[in-house]
Amino acid sequence: MLDVDFARIRAHRNNIHRYHSLLKTKLSDLERRFIERRMAQETASLEALTSETFPIAFVPPQRPSAGVAS
């Protein structure tokens, strides 16, 4: 199952990259809005899938500031 999830994540990332590249080209307003909407949908799908696949977020511990006395 994890292989399928990784393949789906990779597909979403590839689509986002492709849409990002297309936005750098000359497009009509209609084309640009369509691509921006599709990129937003892909981003939302990617975020949902990654939070489903990797439910635990690892946050590195904060280091104390050098100027703060303990």
Side-chain angles (χ1 to χ4, degrees), residues 8-69:
R8 290 175 60 204
I9 288 170
R10 194 169 36 255
H12 287 302
R13 289 186 57 182
N14 289 344
N15 289 340
I16 291 167
H17 179 74
R18 183 174 28 260
Y19 293 141
H20 186 70
S21 296
L22 282 171
L23 288 174
K24 293 179 182 178
T25 64
K26 184 176 179 176
L27 301 167
S28 70
D29 289 339
L30 180 65
E31 291 168 327
R32 184 167 302 281
R33 284 194 309 267
F34 175 79
I35 292 171
E36 287 171 345
R37 187 172 58 246
R38 286 295 303 137
M39 193 160 80
Q41 291 169 344
E42 288 288 342
T43 301
S45 295
L46 176 62
E47 289 173 1
L49 181 59
T50 54
S51 67
E52 212 176 273
T53 306
F54 307 107
I56 300 173
F58 294 101
V59 179
Q62 294 181 349
R63 295 183 181 179
S65 298
V68 176

